[in-house]
Amino acid sequence: MSSSTVVVTGLGATTPIGGDVPSTWSAMLAGKSGIRTLTEDWVSELPVHIGGRVLVEPIEVLSRVEARRLDRGGQFAVVAAREAWADSGLAGKVDPERFGVAVASGIGGITTLLQAYDTLLAKGARLVSPLAIPMLMPNGPAAAIGLELGARAGVHTPVSACASGAEGIALGLDMIRSGRADVVIAGGTEAAIHALPMAAFASMKAMSTRNDEPERASRPYDKARDGFVLGEGAALVVLESEAHAKARGAKIYCTLAGAGITSDAHHIAQPDPSGSGVARALRLALVDAGISPQDVGHVNAHATSTPQGDVAEVLALRRVLGDAADGAPISATKSMTGHLLGAAGALEAVVTVLALQERKAPPTINLDDPDDEVDVDVVRHEPRALRSGPLAALNNSFGFGGHNVCLVFTE
């Protein structure tokens, strides 16, 4: 039993396909899509009319006062944190000075920012909310969780675009390994379904315009993929030193065995087409975890459904895992949830943990005609049982700016 070994003892999430972890996992195994036609008035002005709103609105879970004091992303984060904390059974069982928070966001409280600006223009400065700054600052969700749960070992917010949630989990790993904390609640949140970010992403030609088939729009690896679908939500894991978890008799899902972080230095919005930055992150993660490619029995891929990104990731996986890639079935779960930006890596970490625990890889839906360059084993249409014996699983996340984060979970 080691104080530097880090285990997962709690899970929480609110997503486009479920209001919590069990409902999200159940819907994922059933291959349900959370992508719908958006109904906001501004949608008609955009070329993209679809998105993945959370299935359960946070106002149904939070009190009216709590909801009013938080940006929508903060609301998601608090909902997920309460589930993860309850799942861990840690209440009253951790020294607050040994408990930290690492909850990321890719964009922060953009909805609050834009609404406050609208108020300023329409009604004047005196009517701008005094809560606008704590609501819109990217670290607002992490701070809210730290306040609610009494975390005093440090509250942090990595901001690395679509790799943010995974980087939050990697930071939590470092906090425990370095001895700064015994427990860290880590992950990501995002609420960016708003006219401005959607118009901006659409202008970049990054989003699917399959408006007439929203549930079939997110299609990683498929020849007919035409971009990602924006989703929203939050996902968190409770990380704990193995020594602390075993001393209190905690339920342990699995071990967070390693992480690898690199940057492409290639382009502000395009992945390095060779996948070299991703490959380096994968190698670093395997070394950090002390495992070989043959140990990897499952991969939850980043796989946003963009033509360039999907192929670059596959090239990296094949380069690093070699023939072992054939024994590591890949799930691309954004096909069901859409792309949750700063929450994506965290949600997919939760899914990877459950896949390991239940030895079941969730399906990739909408993959009808695989891209010829995708020479890996993608789990299509139906969940698949993972192989028996000791097993490790990878969770990949990448983001604009060339951020690459790979996490390794082991049983």
Side-chain angles (χ1 to χ4, degrees):
M1 185 166 53
S2 169
S3 60
S4 61
T5 299
V6 177
V7 296
V8 179
T9 58
L11 304 175
T14 182
T15 76
I17 57 174
D20 54 19
V21 169
S23 58
T24 295
W25 179 242
S26 176
M28 194 167 279
L29 292 181
K32 293 183 178 178
S33 171
I35 310 306
R36 303 285 185 271
T37 299
L38 299 174
T39 57
E40 288 80 356
D41 293 340
W42 46 259
V43 168
S44 62
E45 304 296 323
L46 305 179
V48 176
H49 303 166
I50 56 178
R53 287 285 192 194
V54 291
L55 189 63
V56 178
E57 282 296 314
I59 193 64
E60 297 179 30
V61 182
L62 304 174
S63 71
R64 188 175 297 276
V65 171
E66 289 172 332
R68 194 167 58 238
R69 292 178 175 175
L70 293 166
D71 175 77
R72 187 170 174 84
Q75 295 171 5
F76 298 158
V78 168
V79 169
R82 288 178 180 175
E83 183 189 9
W85 198 241
D87 188 39
S88 73
L90 267 162
K93 298 179 181 177
V94 59
D95 177 352
E97 295 186 0
R98 302 287 302 161
F99 169 37
V101 177
V103 175
S105 173
I107 298 182
I110 190 168
T111 301
T112 293
L113 172 63
L114 294 171
Q115 289 175 345
Y117 190 59
D118 288 344
T119 299
L120 175 68
L121 294 180
K123 300 178 181 178
R126 294 179 61 186
L127 289 183
V128 172
S129 169
L131 296 174
I133 294 299
M135 289 173 65
L136 68 85
M137 58 190 194
N139 61 316
I145 292 169
L147 283 166
E148 176 162 319
L149 300 180
R152 293 178 178 168
V155 171
H156 304 280
T157 301
V159 178
S160 47
C162 306
S164 300
E167 190 158 329
I169 293 172
L171 176 58
L173 177 69
D174 283 346
M175 289 177 71
I176 296 174
R177 283 177 168 175
S178 67
R180 291 177 54 205
D182 295 320
V183 175
V184 177
I185 187 165
T189 187
E190 203 77 88
I193 296 181
H194 181 283
L196 180 60
M198 287 195 63
F201 279 128
S203 181
M204 298 173 76
K205 310 294 185 188
M207 302 180 73
S208 172
T209 55
R210 195 182 288 260
N211 295 317
D212 54 341
E213 294 183 297
E215 295 179 350
R216 293 176 51 78
S218 183
R219 37 195 326 114
Y221 305 131
D222 191 87
K223 285 181 179 175
R225 66 191 186 277
D226 65 337
F228 74 83
V229 179
L230 187 58
E232 63 177 9
L236 300 176
V237 298
V238 175
L239 304 176
E240 192 168 355
S241 76
E242 183 184 41
H244 192 276
K246 289 193 171 179
R248 69 182 183 89
K251 169 191 64 182
I252 294 175
Y253 284 97
C254 65
T255 298
L256 174 56
I261 299 176
T262 65
S263 50
D264 282 355
H266 171 76
H267 189 278
I268 191 63
Q270 298 288 339
D272 182 336
S274 72
S276 63
V278 174
R280 286 189 296 113
L282 283 164
R283 289 194 190 96
L284 290 173
L286 295 181
V287 169
D288 190 37
I291 65 170
S292 69
Q294 289 72 29
D295 296 319
V296 178
H298 176 53
V299 179
N300 190 302
H302 185 63
T304 61
S305 184
T306 59
Q308 300 94 335
D310 287 6
V311 171
E313 182 178 11
V314 166
L315 290 174
L317 284 165
R318 180 58 76 178
R319 184 184 305 171
V320 174
L321 299 183
D323 291 343
D326 296 328
I330 294 173
S331 297
T333 50
K334 288 184 180 74
S335 60
M336 293 169 280
T337 64
H339 190 353
L340 273 57
L341 304 184
L347 174 58
E348 289 148 20
V350 167
V351 169
T352 305
V353 168
L354 293 172
L356 263 185
Q357 187 190 47
E358 299 195 9
R359 286 188 173 267
K360 189 177 296 182
T364 302
I365 67 170
N366 301 326
L367 178 50
D368 302 322
D369 189 8
D371 189 315
D372 294 335
E373 295 187 75
V374 178
D375 66 338
V376 289
D377 180 14
V378 180
V379 180
R380 299 170 57 185
H381 305 308
E382 300 287 337
R384 188 192 304 176
L386 297 177
R387 72 189 190 214
S388 59
L391 203 62
L394 302 179
N395 169 210
N396 294 338
S397 293
F398 317 119
F400 283 180
H403 303 279
N404 307 305
V405 181
C406 301
L407 303 174
V408 178
F409 295 92
T410 59
E411 292 176 302

